[in-house]
Amino acid sequence: MTTQQKTVKVQLVRSPIGCKEDHRATVRGLGLRKVNSTRELQDTPAVRGMINKIDYLVRIV
């Protein structure tokens, strides 16, 4: 039996320019570079916490 890893797809919808430095670091930590860039990440509590921290910059797709 194979177990499927749950994933969450995140899109950067607003520029982190002018935001706090730690929020910019969180965006980079999620692997998001430019506006409208999308990443599919594993759905872990750590990733969810990072998304919650910068919820005003990203959208769950």
Side-chain angles (χ1 to χ4, degrees):
M1 178 164 68
T2 61
T3 57
Q4 192 89 348
Q5 288 286 345
K6 294 192 175 198
T7 60
V8 60
K9 201 168 189 182
V10 181
Q11 181 180 18
L12 186 65
V13 294
R14 190 172 157 228
S15 173
I17 295 173
C19 297
K20 292 182 175 180
E21 184 64 39
D22 61 325
H23 288 204
R24 275 185 264 156
T26 303
V27 169
R28 299 293 295 145
L30 287 173
L32 300 170
R33 292 177 174 258
K34 298 179 179 181
V35 175
N36 293 326
S37 64
T38 305
R39 285 291 308 260
E40 194 164 342
L41 305 163
Q42 289 184 357
D43 192 7
T44 63
V47 170
R48 284 285 177 171
M50 292 170 80
I51 292 170
N52 286 338
K53 183 175 184 177
I54 58 166
D55 61 346
Y56 63 100
L57 296 174
V58 297
R59 180 177 70 189
I60 304 294
V61 180

